[in-house]
Amino acid sequence: MKTKILNYLLLFVAVLFTPLVATANDSSAKYTPDVTFTLRTAIADGRLVYIGQGGEIDGKVNPTLNVEPGAMVQINMINGDGALHDIVAPDFNNAKSDQVSGQGSSTVLAFRANQEGEFFYWCSVPGHRPAGMEGKILVGDGDRGADTDAEDMTLSPMDLPDPIGDRGPAELEYTLETIEQVGKLDNGSSYKFWTFDGTVPGPMLRIREGDTVTINLKNPESSTMIHSVDFHAVTGPGGGAAVTQAAPGQTESFTFKALQPGLYVYHCATPMVAHHITNGMYGMILVEPEGGLDPVDREFYVMQGELYTAEDFGTRGELSFSIDKLLDEDFEYMIFNGSVNSLKSTHKMTAQVGETVRIFFGVGGPNATSSFHVIGEIFDRVYHEGALTDPPLHNVQTTTVAPGGSTMVEFDVDYPGRYILVDHALSRAERGLAGFLTVEGEADKSVFDPHGKDTSDH
């Protein structure tokens, strides 16, 4: 109740002295706003955010601010969490507020809405915008910079074949189609991905040691590039790439015998190989040992990759590939399963307390090694480098996975909550690399006791 009263007092003071406030760009200019908004900084649902106060935006997270063309706009920002924050709107003459810290402190952003369209406000403190502090300013019809309508090309981590079980060797055939298409990368941005079967990563193939497998690689006439496929599970020239260089309109094939069990990566191997991989042409094939894997309650398929865009991280619109950044290994985006939001909001990974979770994890790359970690969990078993027939490592916090490499991890989930999948090179989370596993069920205080605190915002 005290916090609510304090917030409304701050709002009253900000409005009371509105005529005396200068614009963020001209300390000598005075103005009277046509419209005033108040935002409070907070932590919500594990993110740093702005929360609207008063009027139509009251209680809304990162609310869209609707204004008329030509209006003088004032945004009062109240610091609700104590950390250092500001608010900027660079599309309007580089408008920005002062930076303030300390719970209850406040600052003002003011600008004239001198152009129509959809624009953005955010916190310019390093790391805060990718952590969630961003909203829209809608001036007039707001058709500029609208969220992309590109197709979702991500692959659900739950989209994987059933376990092989205890069957004998078989003859199998798979057809992979290479598809080049613009897909959604982040809110407001897209990228032209090159894929196997139209998803990033490509489909997970699941076979058995001793199986004889025919692979057909179909490259449709609509493609602009030659494509191929290299399976790390194949013993033979190029892992199959030497005989699957398919020009647009062609289909190439080969047959191999699965000699060794393991969890293996596959990828396009057409020059320049790194370009094809970074654009999304990677996936995994699981070769189960004789007798199959031990049963678990939940299985997930997750792959990490990086993108080298000419545009800076966070740029809106359709982004383009930069060969210079690729060669310098200077990525702009790091992603799980094909987009910034794939494992955060597009697909929901869930499990129940008491269940055993298995994650098939791989790195498409093409360059960055992953330090795979699940925040708040310990891997009970790690099958390092995808070696399924070697004894697993036990009680592992973080496991290293090389580009073109894999691991299989298993753990029991003992407490409800949200667990975050990361690469523990944690600055990469600010480049889009994070995912959520939500565990539901009864809390056991003997496992974890939050001392009455709310853990839902983590």
Side-chain angles (χ1 to χ4, degrees), residues 184 187 339-349 434-436:
K184 188 170 184 177
N187 295 327
S339 83
V340 169
N341 294 312
S342 180
L343 303 189
K344 290 188 285 190
S345 57
T346 306
H347 306 291
K348 303 293 179 66
M349 300 171 63
F436 301 146

Side-chain angles (χ1 to χ4, degrees), residues 185 190-191 278-279 307-316 318-326 330-333 431:
L185 174 59
S190 60
Y191 185 82
T278 188
N279 277 5
L307 286 175
Y308 299 84
T309 61
E311 300 80 8
D312 292 340
F313 180 88
T315 301
R316 305 288 159 167
E318 183 177 337
L319 309 187
S320 56
F321 168 72
S322 169
I323 190 169
D324 291 333
K325 288 184 180 178
L326 174 66
D330 181 18
F331 57 80
E332 288 292 338
Y333 288 83
R431 295 286 177 170

Side-chain angles (χ1 to χ4, degrees), residues 119-431:
F119 307 92
F120 295 86
Y121 64 86
W122 65 84
C123 180
S124 70
V125 175
H128 285 196
R129 185 185 186 187
M133 299 191 77
E134 178 185 66
K136 295 179 183 179
I137 301 170
L138 199 63
V139 183
D141 293 335
D143 57 356
R144 176 193 174 277
D147 194 12
T148 177
D149 58 359
E151 183 176 338
D152 174 37
M153 300 185 72
T154 62
L155 184 69
S156 168
M158 287 73 74
D159 189 359
L160 70 170
D162 293 333
I164 295 297
D166 188 15
R167 69 160 173 80
E171 293 186 2
L172 305 172
E173 184 171 359
Y174 296 98
T175 297
L176 294 174
E177 183 175 11
T178 62
I179 296 175
E180 304 170 6
Q181 185 172 318
V182 174
K184 188 170 184 177
L185 174 59
D186 196 359
N187 295 327
S189 66
S190 60
Y191 185 82
K192 188 170 185 179
F193 291 97
W194 301 347
T195 73
F196 293 107
D197 282 8
T199 63
V200 180
M204 179 174 167
L205 308 185
R206 195 164 191 164
I207 65 175
R208 177 202 186 276
E209 175 186 8
D211 282 350
T212 299
V213 183
T214 296
I215 300 293
N216 305 308
L217 185 74
K218 179 182 179 182
N219 193 3
E221 291 184 0
S222 58
S223 291
T224 61
M225 304 293 294
I226 297 171
H227 295 298
S228 61
V229 63
D230 166 6
F231 281 89
H232 291 185
V234 168
T235 300
V243 293
T244 56
Q245 298 292 331
Q250 293 183 344
T251 299
E252 302 290 350
S253 303
F254 73 98
T255 299
F256 74 98
K257 187 167 186 176
L259 299 179
Q260 286 97 7
L263 179 61
Y264 300 98
V265 169
Y266 68 83
H267 59 83
C268 184
T270 299
M272 67 177 303
V273 177
H275 184 188
H276 287 248
I277 292 174
T278 188
N279 277 5
M281 301 195 79
Y282 51 83
M284 287 202 293
I285 179 170
L286 174 64
V287 183
E288 294 198 22
E290 181 180 352
L293 298 176
D294 291 337
V296 294
D297 299 295
R298 307 273 179 166
E299 290 186 331
F300 301 107
Y301 170 35
V302 177
M303 290 197 76
Q304 176 174 322
E306 68 244 24
L307 286 175
Y308 299 84
T309 61
E311 300 80 8
D312 292 340
F313 180 88
T315 301
R316 305 288 159 167
E318 183 177 337
L319 309 187
S320 56
F321 168 72
S322 169
I323 190 169
D324 291 333
K325 288 184 180 178
L326 174 66
L327 295 177
D328 289 341
E329 301 186 14
D330 181 18
F331 57 80
E332 288 292 338
Y333 288 83
M334 296 285 281
I335 52 177
F336 286 140
N337 284 36
S339 83
V340 169
N341 294 312
S342 180
L343 303 189
K344 290 188 285 190
S345 57
T346 306
H347 306 291
K348 303 293 179 66
M349 300 171 63
T350 61
Q352 298 292 319
V353 168
E355 291 185 331
T356 299
V357 169
R358 173 184 288 152
I359 299 177
F360 300 107
F361 181 80
V363 176
N367 297 315
T369 297
S370 178
S371 300
F372 183 52
H373 175 79
V374 177
I375 298 175
E377 264 296 349
I378 299 168
F379 301 139
D380 297 327
R381 292 170 295 282
V382 172
Y383 294 83
H384 189 52
E385 298 185 354
L388 303 182
T389 54
D390 287 349
L393 302 173
H394 292 91
N395 308 324
V396 176
Q397 59 189 319
T398 300
T399 187
T400 302
V401 185
S406 68
T407 189
M408 186 177 82
V409 302
E410 297 172 346
F411 53 96
D412 298 336
V413 288
D414 301 308
Y415 193 88
R418 190 175 69 177
Y419 297 83
I420 307 175
L421 281 66
V422 295
D423 179 336
H424 216 289
L426 284 171
S427 61
R428 296 174 179 180
E430 311 305 331
R431 295 286 177 170

